[in-house]
Amino acid sequence: MDLTTSSEPGDLADATELHRYAEALLVHLAADGSAPSLPSGVTDVPGYWLAPAVEALVLILSGRDALEPLALAAHLDERRTALFLCLALAVCGHGDRIHASWLGTAFGELADDRPVTPGQRALWLAAARGAYGPVGKIFVLRKLDAVAVPAEDDRWLAALAPEETQAQVPASLAAFPDLATVPEIERAARAAARLRRLRERCAAITSAPTPAQVSEVETGTTWPEAEPLAVLRSLIGQGGPEGPLSSLDGHLLHDVRQDADPHLAALALHVAAPAVRASAESLLERVREEPPESMTVPILGYPIKLRPDGPDQESMATAEQRIVTEYVPRRTRPWLAYAVLAVAVVVFGAGFVLSLPIALAGLVLGAWGGFLLWRQRTQEQADVRNVQARAGELSEQAEKAVWALHEYARESQTVAEAAAEDVAELTRLLRRGPRAA
């Protein structure tokens, strides 16, 4: 049952002054922890639980006996009375004055198949921040311990250490980033980086948090969450909670996000410990995956199969054929040079018989034909040199890539050892659990 739905006293007009006083009371409690003097007759509203509950709160804050109004309020509505007193005393910094049984009465039971009520969430927040001392935090921990989180639930990993879109390139493959895109290598690198971030996030959550700030009375700051005061206002008839109710898992996942309160995150991580541990072990298995015996990667734009003993010769030969095709343009035979040389011979022969100028013209034509033939041969030799240089560069890069893979194999052993240490430390952090204080 949602206790934040206020139980109004029907059509009793006498409750108007009581609501006004309760509103002023909440303002004072949140401001300086004090309670304004109780006007005469304000709590004379028969049959309405809020009247004796307010009177009991004022008496408790003044250090006087509140047994009679407490008994009456509990008789009229025990759960609302307990919720009102627990939250009001927490807001004003006197959560240590609650009775242990009030928390159990006000909180009720958590369940996976129904939403968390605003009242439960408000008590949860107050206890997590130390409003009720170690006893209150242990109480909430026991309530949350009853929640069964499946070990294969990957939502916790996504909340604690979201997957990064940026590629993870091992140091040994920095000169060959294409090698890092091999699925087995890429999975291992991403898993190692994610496991490290998961450990760091859990270490940050489980490290000793700063003392909880629960009220303006002790710290000079306002109450850090809006839920407790919002629930109190609902209980005194100033409106209901805003927004839809969230599931238990929804609250827990919300509490472990990066900017979450460390006190709430510690409780949520305690609940999710089995799933987090299972995710860490799954990441470790990915880190330990052996790279394939052979892999095909682009080197200088050509697919080359790499093996531990060197690049595959068949793929190298295929690449070299492509280099020849790309770097040697299709050239026709130098027919023009041949034709010019043939004409030069004829002209030179005629000139030798007829006249010297014609013979000289034949020599000029012969020189031009020789130049055309020489230029053709020079271009062909340049093509051969380009092919040889490109093929040599391809062979050199392929050999370096093989050595980079050997270096990666050595580096992967170190990475796997570090990942195992991350899992061991993470397991220790999860076993330690949240601090009760």
Side-chain angles (χ1 to χ4, degrees):
M1 180 178 64
D2 186 359
L3 300 183
T4 59
T5 303
S6 180
S7 178
E8 295 292 346
D11 56 356
L12 294 177
D14 295 339
T16 301
E17 290 302 321
L18 174 62
H19 287 158
R20 290 177 181 173
Y21 174 78
E23 181 179 353
L25 175 63
L26 294 186
V27 173
H28 281 78
L29 291 179
D32 56 17
S34 66
S37 58
L38 191 62
S40 176
V42 167
T43 57
D44 295 336
V45 187
Y48 188 23
W49 69 271
L50 183 61
V54 166
E55 182 180 356
L57 177 61
V58 174
L59 292 174
I60 291 172
L61 291 176
S62 64
R64 290 179 288 171
D65 180 30
L67 184 58
E68 183 177 348
L70 275 176
L72 177 57
H75 175 72
L76 294 172
D77 196 324
E78 184 179 18
R79 298 188 68 180
R80 284 192 174 85
T81 298
L83 180 60
F84 175 78
L85 292 175
C86 287
L87 292 180
L89 289 171
V91 167
C92 68
H94 296 291
D96 56 341
R97 298 188 183 185
I98 69 168
H99 193 277
S101 64
W102 296 353
L103 273 178
T105 301
F107 199 89
E109 297 298 328
L110 290 173
D112 296 331
D113 57 352
R114 63 173 180 267
V116 177
T117 67
Q120 288 175 325
R121 181 59 174 173
L123 290 171
W124 181 350
L125 294 171
R129 295 192 62 85
Y132 310 117
V135 174
K137 185 172 289 187
I138 292 173
F139 168 82
V140 173
L141 278 173
R142 287 178 177 173
K143 289 290 185 181
L144 295 176
D145 274 338
V147 179
V149 175
E152 65 277 5
D153 194 342
D154 291 334
R155 294 178 301 167
W156 298 97
L157 177 61
L160 287 163
E163 184 71 81
E164 290 186 345
T165 57
Q166 183 178 3
Q168 302 292 329
V169 180
S172 57
L173 303 181
F176 297 92
D178 287 333
L179 291 175
T181 62
V182 174
E184 292 83 357
I185 295 178
E186 183 178 17
R187 281 198 302 268
R190 285 185 177 274
R194 198 174 191 186
L195 181 55
R196 176 54 56 89
R197 288 187 285 111
L198 178 62
R199 170 187 169 177
E200 292 172 351
R201 176 61 181 145
C202 291
I205 290 175
T206 56
S207 61
T210 57
Q213 299 179 355
V214 297
S215 75
E216 196 173 66
V217 178
E218 299 176 353
T219 65
T221 60
T222 58
W223 183 272
E225 287 93 10
E227 284 89 342
L229 281 173
V231 172
L232 284 171
R233 293 190 181 98
S234 298
L235 287 171
I236 67 173
Q238 288 188 333
E242 297 180 359
L245 301 180
S246 179
S247 66
L248 180 56
D249 285 350
H251 281 300
L252 291 169
L253 289 167
H254 179 269
D255 288 345
V256 296
R257 71 192 191 283
Q258 292 295 322
D259 57 344
D261 180 271
H263 302 89
L264 295 173
L267 297 184
L269 183 62
H270 173 72
V271 178
V276 175
R277 189 180 302 111
S279 295
E281 293 172 353
S282 176
L283 290 174
L284 179 58
E285 291 178 2
R286 295 183 196 175
V287 174
R288 289 173 170 172
E289 283 186 4
E290 294 290 340
E293 285 294 325
S294 63
M295 59 189 71
T296 300
V297 295
I299 297 179
L300 300 182
Y302 306 101
I304 302 297
K305 179 181 287 187
L306 303 178
R307 293 193 176 98
D309 57 346
D312 176 67
Q313 294 305 310
E314 183 177 350
S315 63
M316 289 290 293
T318 302
E320 290 172 357
Q321 288 295 328
R322 285 186 55 187
I323 290 175
V324 171
T325 302
E326 294 172 1
Y327 283 81
V328 178
R330 297 181 63 86
R331 301 181 188 278
T332 60
R333 297 181 65 82
W335 298 115
L336 178 60
Y338 295 155
V340 171
L341 288 174
V343 172
V345 171
V346 173
V347 172
F348 179 78
F352 185 79
V353 174
L354 299 176
S355 67
L356 184 60
I358 294 176
L360 291 176
L363 290 175
V364 171
L365 287 173
W368 182 34
F371 169 75
L372 292 177
L373 191 61
W374 170 82
R375 186 176 65 179
Q376 177 85 356
R377 295 287 186 267
T378 301
Q379 290 174 343
E380 292 175 351
Q381 293 172 359
D383 293 339
V384 172
R385 287 194 298 270
N386 288 338
V387 168
Q388 292 174 341
R390 188 65 171 175
E393 184 182 6
L394 176 65
S395 178
E396 181 181 0
Q397 292 296 315
E399 291 292 341
K400 288 182 178 179
V402 172
W403 283 110
L405 287 176
H406 288 305
E407 183 64 27
Y408 169 76
R410 289 188 288 269
E411 181 188 8
S412 63
Q413 296 297 324
T414 304
V415 172
E417 293 174 1
E421 292 178 3
D422 288 339
V423 172
E425 175 63 15
L426 181 63
T427 301
R428 187 185 68 81
L429 293 172
L430 295 175
R431 286 175 178 171
R432 184 173 66 185
R435 290 164 53 93

